[in-house]
Amino acid sequence: MASGMQTGTRLVCALVTYLYLARILRVDQLGQYDFAATVVSWAALVAGLGIYTYGVREGAKKRDDPEELSRFASEVLVINLASTLLAYLGLAACLLFSSKLREYESLIWTRSSGIIFTTLGCELLYAIHEEHGYLALRNIRFQILSLILLLTYVKDESDLLLYAWTTVVGSAEANLINFLRLRKYCTWSLTWRFSWQKHLLPILVLFANSLVNLLYVSADVAQLGVMTSDYYDVGLYLVASKVTALLKQLLGAVIVVTVPRLACLYGQKGGEFFQKLARQIADLDFAPAAGEALATLLADLVTCLACYFLAKKSARLLPSGKKLASSLLGCLYVYLVCQAALAKGLGPGATVFWAALWAIPGYFVILYLLGNRVLLEFKRGS
């Protein structure tokens, strides 16, 4: 529930932010900002490697042993600090040798200042202990703080850099609070004397997976930014794709909450409960399917099939035809509503509002009337 509230808050704040920025900043400025953010996302990928996923997966198996968990957390934190240093060095080298990137040096360094705070925040420890309520409430607070700072200080076209700072401040403070509370969960220490190899191989495998995912998510923006002489096209493209990205975060919220529990059950050989939880998550994976662009849809389909074939040895994941049918009919309804909204010729903000007003409740009504089991289970709280 808390994770859902967090995602809902993020959606609302993001929508308000983009509607406000579209009025205050020019489209090409938004393109510049998003291009800088894409560059920083590559540095953040190097800094994070596959450490979060690996740490949650392996740490969940050790959480009942405080001494073992503290040793594991210390080793993972040191690896993360080393990868963060490597990321900053790589970013500095790119700025040094690329005149294209140097044009946006201030934006890039501002956005990248949040990477070190993310590392220090060690959010994986809170995920291991399933402190999802704390994390959600903390994130909601700082999402609202960032929005307040935006509305208070970003007033005209000259405030683009100031906008970048408002996006960093909330995240930085949230992660500092995380860092100050770490002693509640473990007694970590900075030590370089441990077997790096036992951690690095699985971390790098997960890093490769993240790399492919980031290529899929951000290669379009990076190519537009490099290939075009201005950022008008980038800005227009990002406005269209942002809604899709935000909706996908709804599914991401479910996955973040359930991965520690799945890892713990798998490690404890909790077969029946593991199978039930895995099946529920797989059912949800089909729920937010939308009338998206064909290329994105095909990419998502390939990703979904790959995940299914890799996971089918551990859990039976195929959904029933009834759930698929209800989801597809719901998506068809959403598509028709969006087309009707576009046909009205309203402004961008009014079009989004009108479409959401009719599409969201209508989609869930269709699922309910067709007896979608996922929705019924959620309604019963099971």
Side-chain angles (χ1 to χ4, degrees), residues 1 68 72 74 94 102 167 188 201 253 259 278 308 318 322 343 363 366 375:
M1 180 63 71
E68 182 67 19
F72 174 77
S74 298
C94 290
R102 280 201 302 275
T167 63
W188 57 271
L201 181 58
V259 163
Y308 166 72
L318 279 179
K322 189 175 183 180
Y363 177 80
I366 290 173
L375 184 64

PDB file of all heavy atoms in Angstrom, residues 1 68 72 74 94 102 167 188 201 253 259 278 308 318 322 343 363 366 375:
ATOM      1  N   MET A   1       0.826  -1.205   0.000  1.00  0.00           N
ATOM      2  CA  MET A   1       0.000   0.000   0.000  1.00  0.00           C
ATOM      3  C   MET A   1       0.861   1.256   0.000  1.00  0.00           C
ATOM      4  O   MET A   1       0.634   2.194  -0.766  1.00  0.00           O
ATOM      5  CB  MET A   1      -0.924  -0.007   1.235  1.00  0.00           C
ATOM      6  CG  MET A   1      -1.824   1.230   1.320  1.00  0.00           C
ATOM      7  SD  MET A   1      -2.978   1.364  -0.083  1.00  0.00           S
ATOM      8  CE  MET A   1      -4.081   0.018   0.302  1.00  0.00           C
ATOM      9  N   GLU A  68      26.767 -11.764  10.156  1.00  0.00           N
ATOM     10  CA  GLU A  68      27.010 -12.098   8.752  1.00  0.00           C
ATOM     11  C   GLU A  68      26.500 -10.982   7.831  1.00  0.00           C
ATOM     12  O   GLU A  68      27.159 -10.632   6.847  1.00  0.00           O
ATOM     13  CB  GLU A  68      26.318 -13.418   8.412  1.00  0.00           C
ATOM     14  CG  GLU A  68      26.535 -13.897   6.984  1.00  0.00           C
ATOM     15  CD  GLU A  68      27.979 -14.289   6.702  1.00  0.00           C
ATOM     16  OE1 GLU A  68      28.735 -14.544   7.670  1.00  0.00           O
ATOM     17  OE2 GLU A  68      28.342 -14.344   5.506  1.00  0.00           O
ATOM     18  N   PHE A  72      28.659  -8.682   5.204  1.00  0.00           N
ATOM     19  CA  PHE A  72      28.231  -8.623   3.801  1.00  0.00           C
ATOM     20  C   PHE A  72      27.966  -7.175   3.377  1.00  0.00           C
ATOM     21  O   PHE A  72      28.406  -6.740   2.309  1.00  0.00           O
ATOM     22  CB  PHE A  72      26.969  -9.462   3.627  1.00  0.00           C
ATOM     23  CG  PHE A  72      26.354  -9.375   2.256  1.00  0.00           C
ATOM     24  CD1 PHE A  72      26.901 -10.063   1.182  1.00  0.00           C
ATOM     25  CD2 PHE A  72      25.230  -8.588   2.033  1.00  0.00           C
ATOM     26  CE1 PHE A  72      26.341  -9.988  -0.084  1.00  0.00           C
ATOM     27  CE2 PHE A  72      24.657  -8.502   0.773  1.00  0.00           C
ATOM     28  CZ  PHE A  72      25.217  -9.204  -0.289  1.00  0.00           C
ATOM     29  N   SER A  74      29.186  -4.399   4.620  1.00  0.00           N
ATOM     30  CA  SER A  74      30.442  -3.643   4.565  1.00  0.00           C
ATOM     31  C   SER A  74      31.175  -3.899   3.259  1.00  0.00           C
ATOM     32  O   SER A  74      31.685  -2.969   2.619  1.00  0.00           O
ATOM     33  CB  SER A  74      31.331  -4.019   5.757  1.00  0.00           C
ATOM     34  OG  SER A  74      30.705  -3.695   6.984  1.00  0.00           O
ATOM     35  N   CYS A  94      34.822  11.906 -20.107  1.00  0.00           N
ATOM     36  CA  CYS A  94      33.911  12.186 -21.218  1.00  0.00           C
ATOM     37  C   CYS A  94      33.743  13.687 -21.426  1.00  0.00           C
ATOM     38  O   CYS A  94      33.734  14.173 -22.563  1.00  0.00           O
ATOM     39  CB  CYS A  94      32.548  11.542 -20.946  1.00  0.00           C
ATOM     40  SG  CYS A  94      32.545   9.739 -21.042  1.00  0.00           S
ATOM     41  N   ARG A 102      30.595  19.118 -23.149  1.00  0.00           N
ATOM     42  CA  ARG A 102      31.057  20.287 -22.391  1.00  0.00           C
ATOM     43  C   ARG A 102      30.086  21.463 -22.479  1.00  0.00           C
ATOM     44  O   ARG A 102      30.064  22.313 -21.596  1.00  0.00           O
ATOM     45  CB  ARG A 102      32.446  20.713 -22.853  1.00  0.00           C
ATOM     46  CG  ARG A 102      33.571  19.880 -22.275  1.00  0.00           C
ATOM     47  CD  ARG A 102      34.894  20.621 -22.333  1.00  0.00           C
ATOM     48  NE  ARG A 102      35.256  21.012 -23.690  1.00  0.00           N
ATOM     49  CZ  ARG A 102      35.889  20.213 -24.550  1.00  0.00           C
ATOM     50  NH1 ARG A 102      36.233  18.990 -24.172  1.00  0.00           N
ATOM     51  NH2 ARG A 102      36.200  20.629 -25.764  1.00  0.00           N
ATOM     52  N   THR A 167      15.823  19.002  -8.285  1.00  0.00           N
ATOM     53  CA  THR A 167      15.652  17.552  -8.430  1.00  0.00           C
ATOM     54  C   THR A 167      16.673  16.769  -7.623  1.00  0.00           C
ATOM     55  O   THR A 167      16.453  15.604  -7.288  1.00  0.00           O
ATOM     56  CB  THR A 167      15.760  17.133  -9.907  1.00  0.00           C
ATOM     57  OG1 THR A 167      17.076  17.435 -10.400  1.00  0.00           O
ATOM     58  CG2 THR A 167      14.738  17.860 -10.757  1.00  0.00           C
ATOM     59  N   TRP A 188      28.510  -1.618  10.103  1.00  0.00           N
ATOM     60  CA  TRP A 188      29.369  -1.716   8.940  1.00  0.00           C
ATOM     61  C   TRP A 188      30.699  -1.014   9.192  1.00  0.00           C
ATOM     62  O   TRP A 188      30.826  -0.166  10.067  1.00  0.00           O
ATOM     63  CB  TRP A 188      28.684  -1.117   7.713  1.00  0.00           C
ATOM     64  CG  TRP A 188      28.265   0.319   7.892  1.00  0.00           C
ATOM     65  CD1 TRP A 188      27.092   0.782   8.381  1.00  0.00           C
ATOM     66  CD2 TRP A 188      29.057   1.471   7.596  1.00  0.00           C
ATOM     67  NE1 TRP A 188      27.076   2.149   8.419  1.00  0.00           N
ATOM     68  CE2 TRP A 188      28.275   2.605   7.935  1.00  0.00           C
ATOM     69  CE3 TRP A 188      30.339   1.663   7.090  1.00  0.00           C
ATOM     70  CZ2 TRP A 188      28.738   3.908   7.785  1.00  0.00           C
ATOM     71  CZ3 TRP A 188      30.796   2.968   6.927  1.00  0.00           C
ATOM     72  CH2 TRP A 188      30.005   4.068   7.265  1.00  0.00           C
ATOM     73  N   LEU A 201      31.619 -11.283  -9.742  1.00  0.00           N
ATOM     74  CA  LEU A 201      31.068 -12.033 -10.871  1.00  0.00           C
ATOM     75  C   LEU A 201      29.546 -11.912 -10.942  1.00  0.00           C
ATOM     76  O   LEU A 201      29.007 -11.510 -11.981  1.00  0.00           O
ATOM     77  CB  LEU A 201      31.497 -13.498 -10.810  1.00  0.00           C
ATOM     78  CG  LEU A 201      30.993 -14.366 -11.965  1.00  0.00           C
ATOM     79  CD1 LEU A 201      31.470 -13.803 -13.304  1.00  0.00           C
ATOM     80  CD2 LEU A 201      31.445 -15.815 -11.800  1.00  0.00           C
ATOM     81  N   ALA A 253       7.123  -0.655  -8.754  1.00  0.00           N
ATOM     82  CA  ALA A 253       6.885  -0.561  -7.308  1.00  0.00           C
ATOM     83  C   ALA A 253       6.542  -1.923  -6.728  1.00  0.00           C
ATOM     84  O   ALA A 253       6.984  -2.284  -5.630  1.00  0.00           O
ATOM     85  CB  ALA A 253       5.752   0.429  -7.037  1.00  0.00           C
ATOM     86  N   VAL A 259      10.759  -8.460  -4.253  1.00  0.00           N
ATOM     87  CA  VAL A 259      12.033  -9.166  -4.474  1.00  0.00           C
ATOM     88  C   VAL A 259      12.663  -9.664  -3.169  1.00  0.00           C
ATOM     89  O   VAL A 259      13.094 -10.827  -3.088  1.00  0.00           O
ATOM     90  CB  VAL A 259      13.020  -8.276  -5.262  1.00  0.00           C
ATOM     91  CG1 VAL A 259      14.442  -8.801  -5.141  1.00  0.00           C
ATOM     92  CG2 VAL A 259      12.629  -8.249  -6.740  1.00  0.00           C
ATOM     93  N   ALA A 278       5.171 -15.597  -6.555  1.00  0.00           N
ATOM     94  CA  ALA A 278       5.717 -15.445  -7.903  1.00  0.00           C
ATOM     95  C   ALA A 278       4.604 -15.410  -8.943  1.00  0.00           C
ATOM     96  O   ALA A 278       4.647 -14.642  -9.903  1.00  0.00           O
ATOM     97  CB  ALA A 278       6.693 -16.585  -8.204  1.00  0.00           C
ATOM     98  N   TYR A 308      10.352 -14.862 -18.653  1.00  0.00           N
ATOM     99  CA  TYR A 308       9.538 -16.039 -18.397  1.00  0.00           C
ATOM    100  C   TYR A 308      10.339 -17.323 -18.539  1.00  0.00           C
ATOM    101  O   TYR A 308      10.302 -18.201 -17.668  1.00  0.00           O
ATOM    102  CB  TYR A 308       8.341 -16.065 -19.345  1.00  0.00           C
ATOM    103  CG  TYR A 308       7.649 -17.411 -19.361  1.00  0.00           C
ATOM    104  CD1 TYR A 308       6.895 -17.836 -18.275  1.00  0.00           C
ATOM    105  CD2 TYR A 308       7.797 -18.288 -20.442  1.00  0.00           C
ATOM    106  CE1 TYR A 308       6.289 -19.078 -18.265  1.00  0.00           C
ATOM    107  CE2 TYR A 308       7.197 -19.530 -20.445  1.00  0.00           C
ATOM    108  CZ  TYR A 308       6.437 -19.924 -19.356  1.00  0.00           C
ATOM    109  OH  TYR A 308       5.852 -21.161 -19.340  1.00  0.00           O
ATOM    110  N   LEU A 318       2.580 -18.736 -16.129  1.00  0.00           N
ATOM    111  CA  LEU A 318       1.643 -18.378 -17.187  1.00  0.00           C
ATOM    112  C   LEU A 318       0.283 -17.979 -16.612  1.00  0.00           C
ATOM    113  O   LEU A 318      -0.286 -18.688 -15.789  1.00  0.00           O
ATOM    114  CB  LEU A 318       1.452 -19.559 -18.149  1.00  0.00           C
ATOM    115  CG  LEU A 318       2.537 -19.741 -19.210  1.00  0.00           C
ATOM    116  CD1 LEU A 318       2.211 -20.958 -20.057  1.00  0.00           C
ATOM    117  CD2 LEU A 318       2.651 -18.504 -20.091  1.00  0.00           C
ATOM    118  N   LYS A 322      -8.470 -15.927 -19.052  1.00  0.00           N
ATOM    119  CA  LYS A 322      -9.448 -14.960 -18.563  1.00  0.00           C
ATOM    120  C   LYS A 322      -8.772 -13.659 -18.141  1.00  0.00           C
ATOM    121  O   LYS A 322      -9.262 -12.563 -18.432  1.00  0.00           O
ATOM    122  CB  LYS A 322     -10.213 -15.560 -17.378  1.00  0.00           C
ATOM    123  CG  LYS A 322     -11.405 -14.736 -16.929  1.00  0.00           C
ATOM    124  CD  LYS A 322     -12.172 -15.457 -15.841  1.00  0.00           C
ATOM    125  CE  LYS A 322     -13.423 -14.672 -15.440  1.00  0.00           C
ATOM    126  NZ  LYS A 322     -14.186 -15.372 -14.384  1.00  0.00           N
ATOM    127  N   ALA A 343      -9.169  13.680 -30.287  1.00  0.00           N
ATOM    128  CA  ALA A 343     -10.078  14.217 -31.296  1.00  0.00           C
ATOM    129  C   ALA A 343     -10.768  15.491 -30.834  1.00  0.00           C
ATOM    130  O   ALA A 343     -11.254  16.281 -31.647  1.00  0.00           O
ATOM    131  CB  ALA A 343     -11.135  13.164 -31.666  1.00  0.00           C
ATOM    132  N   TYR A 363     -11.050   1.379 -16.945  1.00  0.00           N
ATOM    133  CA  TYR A 363     -10.198   0.195 -17.074  1.00  0.00           C
ATOM    134  C   TYR A 363     -10.444  -0.775 -15.916  1.00  0.00           C
ATOM    135  O   TYR A 363     -10.626  -1.986 -16.113  1.00  0.00           O
ATOM    136  CB  TYR A 363      -8.734   0.631 -17.110  1.00  0.00           C
ATOM    137  CG  TYR A 363      -7.741  -0.499 -17.175  1.00  0.00           C
ATOM    138  CD1 TYR A 363      -7.458  -1.141 -18.372  1.00  0.00           C
ATOM    139  CD2 TYR A 363      -7.088  -0.943 -16.027  1.00  0.00           C
ATOM    140  CE1 TYR A 363      -6.552  -2.193 -18.437  1.00  0.00           C
ATOM    141  CE2 TYR A 363      -6.176  -1.990 -16.074  1.00  0.00           C
ATOM    142  CZ  TYR A 363      -5.917  -2.607 -17.281  1.00  0.00           C
ATOM    143  OH  TYR A 363      -5.020  -3.644 -17.326  1.00  0.00           O
ATOM    144  N   ILE A 366     -13.858  -2.527 -16.025  1.00  0.00           N
ATOM    145  CA  ILE A 366     -13.848  -3.647 -16.970  1.00  0.00           C
ATOM    146  C   ILE A 366     -13.207  -4.881 -16.336  1.00  0.00           C
ATOM    147  O   ILE A 366     -13.725  -6.003 -16.440  1.00  0.00           O
ATOM    148  CB  ILE A 366     -13.117  -3.251 -18.268  1.00  0.00           C
ATOM    149  CG1 ILE A 366     -13.953  -2.245 -19.054  1.00  0.00           C
ATOM    150  CG2 ILE A 366     -12.831  -4.486 -19.132  1.00  0.00           C
ATOM    151  CD1 ILE A 366     -13.255  -1.669 -20.263  1.00  0.00           C
ATOM    152  N   LEU A 375      -7.355  -8.269  -9.589  1.00  0.00           N
ATOM    153  CA  LEU A 375      -8.098  -7.155  -8.997  1.00  0.00           C
ATOM    154  C   LEU A 375      -8.947  -7.616  -7.829  1.00  0.00           C
ATOM    155  O   LEU A 375      -9.029  -6.940  -6.791  1.00  0.00           O
ATOM    156  CB  LEU A 375      -8.975  -6.495 -10.070  1.00  0.00           C
ATOM    157  CG  LEU A 375      -9.739  -5.251  -9.622  1.00  0.00           C
ATOM    158  CD1 LEU A 375      -8.774  -4.141  -9.249  1.00  0.00           C
ATOM    159  CD2 LEU A 375     -10.674  -4.770 -10.722  1.00  0.00           C
TER     160      LEU A 375
END
